[in-house]
Amino acid sequence: MFNRYRDKLGPAIGVSLHMGNWELAIWPMTSSGKNPAAIFRSVKNPYVDRYLREARKDLYPGGLLGKGHDVAESAQTARIITDYVRRGGRLGVVCDLHDNRGIPVPFFGRPAKSVAIPAIIARRQGVRLWAARCVRIGTESRFRMEILEVKVPRTANQAEDVKTITAALQAQFEAWVREVPEQWMWGNRRWS
């Protein structure tokens, strides 16, 4: 489905989870030649941070936009990524994380504070939102990518639209994890 839209897609947000080789989930956007960027949690060690950015530059030719370690830096990143998408950019975000400032939506039957920024930007900017996963096939370095478009409602209630979108993403992630739980790599806290 993505190939059908690749040249007509315009600005878009791709949302993934830590499954298989999740770094490759951006590949459909990269291969379309539209220079996607991604949100990247900056590493405090500047040498490691520089190394990781250099190692990933071919997958994210639009750059890795650093998510900060404090509220002010995170707010600045939110403005940068919103402007990036508004100007026609394609953005990748990994969103199976616990977010203290996130929206609580169901995940495996329990409320989990979830990253809402992709839903907020997609709703405000009127851009397409795609959920993606990368699944390992067999024991070799072979992967299958799956991409599904997530509906972005635009009703009079923006907050409810954002919650609906965020819940839909987390429901898709849960379904994917249930299919191949051994490929979901998440050892950190997910629920409060």
Side-chain angles (χ1 to χ4, degrees), residues 146-181:
E146 294 179 35
I147 302 170
L148 302 170
E149 188 166 10
V150 176
K151 300 249 185 249
V152 178
R154 298 194 77 182
T155 70
N157 189 336
Q158 179 176 325
E160 195 57 39
D161 289 350
V162 168
K163 187 172 185 174
T164 298
I165 297 163
T166 303
L169 283 168
Q170 295 304 314
Q172 184 60 61
F173 292 167
E174 180 179 334
W176 281 341
V177 170
R178 286 183 186 278
E179 285 178 31
V180 284

Side-chain angles (χ1 to χ4, degrees), residues 72-83:
E73 193 177 353
S74 292
Q76 179 182 358
T77 299
R79 285 189 297 277
I80 290 168
I81 63 176
T82 300
D83 288 344

Side-chain angles (χ1 to χ4, degrees), residues 11 49 54 73 79 110-111 116-117 119 122 127 129 132-133 140 147 150 178 183:
D49 190 77
E54 179 66 24
E73 193 177 353
R79 285 189 297 277
R110 294 179 55 201
I117 194 72
V127 300
L129 185 65
R133 75 169 171 171
E140 297 181 16
I147 302 170
V150 176
R178 286 183 186 278
Q183 293 200 32

Side-chain angles (χ1 to χ4, degrees), residues 92-118:
V93 188
V94 179
C95 285
D96 58 340
L97 316 165
H98 175 82
D99 183 353
N100 285 327
R101 295 181 303 265
I103 298 174
V105 296
F107 189 65
F108 287 95
R110 294 179 55 201
K113 285 191 169 186
S114 301
V115 177
I117 194 72

